[in-house]
Amino acid sequence: MTLPKNLLQKIYRDMIRTRTLDYQMIKNAQSGKMPCGWHSGLGEEAIVGPVSLLGKDDYVTYTHRGAYVWIAKGMEMEDIIAEFYAKSTGCAYGKGGTHIAKPSLGIFGRSGMQGGHLPLAAGMGIAAQMRGQGQVVLSFFGDGCATRAPLHEAMNYASIWKLPVVWFCENNGQSMSVKQDKTWAIKDIAQIAGSYAMPGKTIEDGNDVIAVTEAAQEFLDRARRGEGPALIEIKTYRWRGHYEGDPMLYRTKQEINEWMKRDPLKRFEQLLLAQNLITQEGMQKIQVEADTEVAKAQKFAEESPDPLPEDAFNAIYAT
Amino acid sequence: MREIYLYQAIQEAVSEEMRRDERVFLTGEAVGPSGTSPTRPPKEIMEEFGEHRVRETGIVEQMLAAGSAGAAMAGMRPIVDFMMADFMFPAWNEIMQAGLWRSGHGGAENISIPVVYMSGLMSYGSGGFSHSRAPIANVWHGPGLKVVLPTTPYDTKGLLKTAIRDNNPVVFISHRLLYRTQGPVPEEEYLIPFGEATVRREGKDVTIVALSYMVNLSLEAAEVLEQEGISVEIIDPRTLEPLDINTILVSVEKTGRLVVVDEDYIRCGIGAEIAFQVQEKLLKSLKAPVQRVGNLNTPIPVASNLMQAVMPTKEKIIAAVKKTLV
Ligand SMILES: Cc1ncc(C[n+]2csc(CCOP(=O)(O)OP(=O)(O)O)c2C)c(N)n1
Ligand SMILES: [Mg+2]
């Protein structure tokens, strides 16, 4: 294992934090009191690993299951929960909702048009390349949105221009209710990398935090050296429905249970315990801190004021 | 003063701004030194700026539009050349989205999206239902974009430089029939602010509002009408967003009559919007219903006589002006 100890501990803490946030948001969505819907990323938290390799100046794009990305990139819980409550204290002052943005952390939002963010990521790569300071872009996308045309345009030009972009496919085999055999003619999406003359890697066990993080490390380093883009695909699974309330007619309880046994967080925890990188007490402490952090942010969001009607018109144009 | 072609005004604006600010880059199909785009930079400029700043591409409209928005949010100032205006359609979602990002982020950290989407109208050629389209009202319709349609070389250079320095997405639409028109352009630097209409011709009987090549058609119509003793005033707003409605109102208050000429489809078009804004303020000053000349909501045919039946012509403008006088 080449990953430093403190990085592994940070990854573990952020996995706990994002999972705690996710459970809170599921409750919020079910309560009917949160105006924005929630797309849970439970079960896919291995992604915290790759994001933890980024610096503040690096760029990310995320999917609608982006909590692990926001948290690992350094966003505050308050910024996120208050925005989902469309409050004036959210990261976009209640105007953006699920389209979470934090420009100073290299998070420029996401539109509701699945796949539309892929060329956006390539464009951030243009900026990084022009600036020439070794910044990189880590761009996440689902197997479902990856069938859209912008993927081709973005990957083709990222390769032609050798942009410092690492493409990261969260392949959970589902596009809403549609399974991958109806959305793709191939099984391993990383196969397409060859068509764009970039390296590609499928990580069959996408819930193995170490494997996922090490693969990302290799490709991010390569991008920072100016050697161009690469594609990682991880096979993983979302425990929850596409949205809270999804009747999930497309899969069985058994399938879900099988995948829950491969929980990326539990497995990572066992590994850290086995290697004495964490103790039982340490784990408990991290969980208690995460609970406190989320509860505080939740209270903040609930008690924050709504935006004012005139705020609707106040940020359309920059001066 | 020296005279240059309009396409040279575009080239000058682009290269001067690229020289002035190293965050500015040019991208698009065939924008390289041997490219076919009318806006391509001359060879020396390509050599001066290198391939990181002149990014010639193939057919990738979504990448051009969204990629440039991404680069802009990350601190660069891209100029995109879509070549033909209807090539904005494959990137429609991305261009509309460019206008949404800032407000969608609540203006957080004063984020800006300084990108220019350039293209040229191709109408009155053989482009037919596709390339002859003039998607002007479409881009004006969505929030968050600025919309510029220059007519003369002077305005083109001054407005394009302003567009490149603007911190918002700007849709900049020129016209193929204007690229090779000449006009005076000073050697010294100048900028033209957005939202300032210009009076192309003074008159007292009827006001025409027109942009881009429609200004030239309207000027021809005004010449003919002059012979018949009808004095036409022509207002060129130059930018639709922001729109200088005041200059239009001042003129209509004087003439009491308004014709809007627009080469986009007439339905839900520029004429409808301007007519509405004018009647809202000046209903009592209007001596006749506002007339619109535009593309008659028909896929644009190629045969010249059919195209003339559908598109604005000098004769239709003359007839519309006369209709306000009966
Ligand atoms: C252009 C567009 N078409 C359809 C949708 C509706 N939609 C939202 S999420 C989704 C599935 C996306 O699947 P995937 O990218 O694999 O992400 P996952 O939900 O599996 O994490 C669809 C079809 C959309 N948001 N945008
Ligand atoms: Mg999926």
Side-chain angles (χ1 to χ4, degrees):
Chain A
M1 200 193 308
T2 55
L3 300 168
K5 183 179 156 191
N6 57 352
L7 176 73
L8 295 176
Q9 287 163 339
K10 180 213 179 276
I11 293 172
Y12 177 71
R13 178 175 300 109
D14 283 348
M15 286 175 79
I16 294 279
R17 289 171 70 227
T18 182
R19 182 164 287 189
T20 309
L21 171 68
D22 206 321
Y23 277 121
Q24 177 66 48
M25 293 301 246
I26 290 169
K27 261 201 289 183
N28 293 346
Q30 290 168 347
S31 76
K33 289 190 184 132
M34 187 168 77
C36 293
W38 182 246
H39 295 288
S40 167
L42 289 183
E44 301 187 9
E45 293 96 338
I47 288 161
V48 166
V51 181
S52 303
L53 300 169
L54 300 177
K56 184 167 179 277
D57 291 342
D58 294 322
Y59 301 111
V60 279
T61 70
Y62 58 88
T63 76
H64 49 292
R65 276 173 232 297
Y68 24 67
V69 176
W70 312 326
I71 293 296
K73 192 71 173 51
M75 280 190 75
E76 303 290 336
M77 298 275 184
E78 277 83 356
D79 257 358
I80 300 164
I81 305 182
E83 192 56 38
F84 270 78
Y85 271 79
K87 294 296 182 74
S88 61
T89 54
C91 63
Y93 312 109
K95 295 177 81 169
T98 62
H99 313 107
I100 292 292
K102 196 74 186 173
S104 53
L105 291 176
I107 304 174
F108 293 116
R110 181 187 69 86
S111 97
M113 298 297 114
Q114 288 292 351
H117 66 289
L118 295 164
L120 212 69
M124 296 168 196
I126 294 176
Q129 183 180 62
M130 285 175 70
R131 210 173 276 125
Q133 293 170 356
Q135 292 167 290
V136 289
V137 186
L138 182 55
S139 178
F140 293 93
F141 58 94
D143 51 302
C145 91
T147 54
R148 277 200 65 221
L151 173 133
H152 169 64
E153 296 195 7
M155 285 193 179
N156 193 30
Y157 270 88
S159 275
I160 291 173
W161 289 333
K162 280 188 175 288
L163 300 177
V165 180
V166 175
W167 305 109
F168 197 114
C169 181
E170 305 175 20
N171 186 354
N172 56 20
Q174 293 281 161
S175 176
M176 297 204 302
S177 56
V178 188
K179 295 223 180 270
Q180 194 189 333
D181 59 0
K182 293 222 177 64
T183 60
W184 279 93
I186 53 174
K187 281 209 163 61
D188 295 339
I189 294 169
Q191 264 185 33
I192 67 173
S195 309
Y196 302 102
M198 63 178 164
K201 186 168 194 168
T202 297
I203 299 177
E204 210 48 58
D205 184 356
N207 290 356
D208 176 345
V209 179
I210 301 291
V212 170
T213 310
E214 283 181 345
Q217 176 94 68
E218 180 193 335
F219 286 152
L220 287 167
D221 287 349
R222 189 176 170 278
R224 281 191 210 282
R225 290 194 303 268
E227 292 169 31
L231 169 60
I232 300 178
E233 168 194 21
I234 65 164
K235 300 278 175 69
T236 184
Y237 194 82
R238 61 166 157 78
W239 294 354
R240 306 290 298 177
H242 174 62
Y243 59 96
E244 288 311 309
D246 179 353
M248 294 197 280
L249 301 174
Y250 47 87
R251 63 185 188 182
T252 61
K253 191 93 192 113
Q254 192 196 348
E255 184 184 297
I256 302 172
N257 287 338
E258 284 303 314
W259 273 95
M260 287 183 77
K261 283 186 208 147
R262 286 183 252 168
D263 178 358
L265 178 53
K266 279 276 158 313
R267 286 168 57 195
F268 189 46
E269 202 168 270
Q270 269 145 29
L271 187 124
L272 294 182
L273 280 170
Q275 308 214 350
N276 291 323
L277 290 174
I278 198 158
T279 59
Q280 290 286 353
E281 302 79 71
M283 276 163 44
Q284 267 164 21
K285 185 159 171 278
I286 289 170
Q287 184 61 64
V288 169
E289 281 167 4
D291 289 342
T292 313
E293 185 187 9
V294 169
K296 187 167 151 266
Q298 175 69 21
K299 185 162 183 291
F300 172 80
E302 285 174 9
E303 292 173 359
S304 283
D306 290 332
L308 301 171
E310 56 265 35
D311 294 343
F313 309 99
N314 72 1
I316 297 171
Y317 291 106
T319 48
Chain B
M1 201 186 292
R2 66 173 183 150
E3 298 227 330
I4 61 171
Y5 289 110
L6 187 141
Y7 78 87
Q8 293 173 308
I10 294 177
Q11 292 180 347
E12 284 190 6
V14 169
S15 46
E16 284 175 22
E17 291 306 301
M18 285 178 74
R19 222 166 269 137
R20 180 180 168 269
D21 186 340
E22 60 181 21
R23 297 168 300 175
V24 178
F25 71 92
L26 176 68
T27 188
E29 235 172 288
V31 295
S34 47
T36 47
S37 168
T39 55
R40 75 192 179 283
K43 237 192 189 67
E44 320 78 68
I45 286 171
M46 176 68 190
E47 278 157 22
E48 179 183 347
F49 296 117
E51 61 182 15
H52 278 186
R53 297 188 59 203
V54 182
R55 291 179 183 261
E56 190 173 35
T57 73
I59 312 170
V60 277
E61 284 76 16
Q62 300 185 24
M63 173 62 203
L64 287 171
S68 298
M73 285 197 269
M76 296 299 135
R77 308 186 72 87
I79 307 168
V80 183
D81 184 356
F82 284 104
M83 208 158 36
M84 302 190 189
D86 72 326
F87 295 159
M88 287 192 286
F89 281 117
W92 206 248
N93 168 56
E94 287 69 26
I95 292 174
M96 293 294 110
Q97 180 64 43
L100 309 180
W101 286 123
R102 184 179 151 85
S103 179
H105 295 165
E109 301 169 10
N110 199 23
I111 185 161
S112 62
I113 298 94
V115 54
V116 181
Y117 296 129
M118 273 197 307
S119 68
L121 299 171
M122 293 290 137
S123 39
Y124 297 96
S126 55
F129 58 76
S130 188
H131 297 337
S132 290
R133 286 178 294 179
I136 307 165
N138 304 56
V139 283
W140 194 23
H141 188 67
L145 302 172
K146 296 190 177 179
V147 183
V148 184
L149 282 99
T151 307
T152 63
Y154 178 85
D155 284 1
T156 298
K157 185 169 178 187
L159 289 166
L160 184 51
K161 285 171 75 93
T162 302
I164 296 166
R165 295 186 199 185
D166 199 286
N167 283 327
N168 298 281
V170 180
V171 177
F172 191 94
I173 303 178
S174 33
H175 201 295
R176 92 184 166 93
L177 292 174
L178 299 176
Y179 285 135
R180 291 203 165 264
T181 55
Q182 274 185 308
V185 174
E187 311 257 5
E188 313 77 62
E189 159 132 306
Y190 66 97
L191 297 170
I192 300 176
F194 289 172
E196 286 187 11
T198 184
V199 181
R200 292 277 173 220
R201 180 192 168 105
E202 288 190 26
K204 57 181 177 34
D205 299 328
V206 182
T207 301
I208 292 180
V209 173
L211 298 109
S212 183
Y213 178 61
M214 295 299 104
V215 170
N216 296 22
L217 270 189
S218 301
L219 283 166
E220 288 175 26
E223 289 295 321
V224 176
L225 289 160
E226 184 78 53
Q227 315 281 307
E228 301 179 25
I230 301 167
S231 161
V232 170
E233 178 148 298
I234 300 176
I235 310 289
D236 179 355
R238 304 194 285 193
T239 62
L240 285 171
E241 182 60 51
L243 176 67
D244 176 5
I245 191 69
N246 282 334
T247 299
I248 297 172
L249 292 174
V250 167
S251 176
V252 176
E253 198 154 28
K254 176 174 75 178
T255 62
R257 298 180 176 89
L258 174 63
V259 176
V260 186
V261 187
D262 157 29
E263 67 175 286
D264 197 352
Y265 300 122
I266 203 165
R267 180 169 55 212
C268 308
I270 293 158
E273 176 63 27
I274 290 176
F276 176 83
Q277 292 195 29
V278 167
Q279 64 80 34
E280 199 180 23
K281 294 271 164 42
L282 287 182
L283 190 58
K284 299 228 166 69
S285 310
L286 282 171
K287 297 175 190 146
V290 178
Q291 294 298 315
R292 293 183 294 168
V293 180
N295 176 341
L296 299 178
N297 299 329
T298 303
I300 300 163
V302 172
S304 176
N305 58 339
L306 301 184
M307 184 167 49
Q308 302 285 319
V310 170
M311 299 286 291
T313 60
K314 181 175 78 179
E315 291 70 27
K316 289 186 201 174
I317 298 171
I318 292 169
V321 167
K322 287 183 175 168
K323 228 172 150 184
T324 66
L325 288 160
V326 289

